[in-house]
Amino acid sequence: MLDREDENIVWHEHHVSKSERAKLKQQRPCVLWFTGLSGSGKSTIANEVERRLHQRGKHTYLLDGDNVRLGLNSDLSFSDADRVENIRRIGEVSKLFVDAGLIVLTAFISPFKEDRNRVREMMQEGEFIEIFIDTPLRVCERRDPKGLYKKARKGEIAEFTGVSSPYEAPQEAELHIQTENMSVSTAAKSVLEYLEKKGYLRC
Ligand code: ADP
């Protein structure tokens, strides 16, 4: 990456600060980083969490896999280098939205620990909340909401996480949700309880 300081490009502090924006919204901005296999339930649970936060008057924004790949990251493939760049850009966008005072939710497989940790390091202490949606591969494959496992097993999708590409499970996620025997509603409730307990929903 380019060293921007050499080009005299530096971060500008604005007159209105992150904490002032957050105060107006009565919330502590953060990113809820959902990670897990395809079909594990990241998107479904993140949507439900966002709905509940919105109902409580909280300002949120959900960044979702396909939507980002259709726009911001439409130039990226699924090669190793592009997967790294995909997560890096999502991290940077999340950081800007956190700076704007929002509670950001992201739903990306983000299979590699190093990539997730790089995003964690971009944020300030307490702003990155990793949520491991831990659903066994056999359950994801049974759900197969987009028919992707079927295609991957037939060899029609190269390097598919869980089938032909590894998933590195988080060891120290802030939240660990096992969905096999848990409803979407209970999973969402546990995220809201965490945010409440840790003081993210007031300022
Ligand atoms: P991902 O975003 O991780 O790829 P999705 O949320 O798109 O996964 O798909 C998960 C699928 O599993 C959905 O069709 C959802 O309705 C279903 N599902 C069944 N039980 C659960 C549960 N307990 N938690 C989350 N999703 C569940």
Side-chain angles (χ1 to χ4, degrees), residues 77-85 112 115 159 165:
S77 72
F78 287 86
S79 70
D80 284 359
D82 279 2
R83 277 180 198 245
V84 173
E85 177 60 10
F112 301 118
D115 298 345
E159 297 193 80
S165 182

Side-chain angles (χ1 to χ4, degrees), residues 48-194:
E48 180 60 19
V49 170
E50 184 177 41
R51 198 182 62 80
R52 288 175 185 226
L53 287 171
H54 185 79
Q55 272 174 349
R56 292 183 55 167
K58 300 300 164 195
H59 293 242
T60 57
Y61 195 74
L62 171 59
L63 288 164
D64 204 341
D66 285 351
N67 297 357
V68 169
R69 283 223 177 241
L70 285 171
L72 176 71
N73 291 352
S74 59
D75 59 324
L76 300 179
S77 72
F78 287 86
S79 70
D80 284 359
D82 279 2
R83 277 180 198 245
V84 173
E85 177 60 10
N86 184 45
I87 298 301
R88 189 195 71 80
R89 285 188 203 170
I90 292 157
E92 291 290 355
V93 171
S94 301
K95 187 178 168 173
L96 288 173
F97 284 173
V98 166
D99 195 53
L102 302 181
I103 296 176
V104 183
L105 305 95
T106 68
F108 301 92
I109 300 174
S110 44
F112 301 118
K113 200 173 163 191
E114 198 183 330
D115 298 345
R116 296 191 301 262
N117 284 344
R118 208 175 289 125
V119 179
R120 184 187 286 275
E121 279 154 27
M122 283 181 200
M123 308 283 173
Q124 287 177 3
E125 187 73 30
E127 284 181 349
F128 184 83
I129 300 166
E130 193 171 17
I131 304 175
F132 178 24
I133 304 298
D134 184 5
T135 308
L137 179 64
R138 67 177 158 73
V139 176
C140 296
E141 202 156 353
R142 198 170 58 219
R143 291 180 185 163
D144 205 6
K146 297 181 204 153
L148 296 177
Y149 284 97
K150 211 167 160 197
K151 279 192 185 169
R153 290 290 180 199
K154 282 199 271 177
E156 290 170 14
I157 308 177
E159 297 193 80
F160 191 74
T161 305
V163 175
S164 45
S165 182
Y167 176 76
E168 297 172 1
Q171 305 300 319
E172 290 172 47
E174 277 72 9
L175 274 163
H176 185 165
I177 296 179
Q178 291 172 301
T179 74
E180 193 176 3
N181 298 305
M182 188 189 284
S183 69
V184 174
S185 165
T186 306
K189 196 161 157 248
S190 71
V191 177
L192 266 290
E193 277 168 6
Y194 177 89

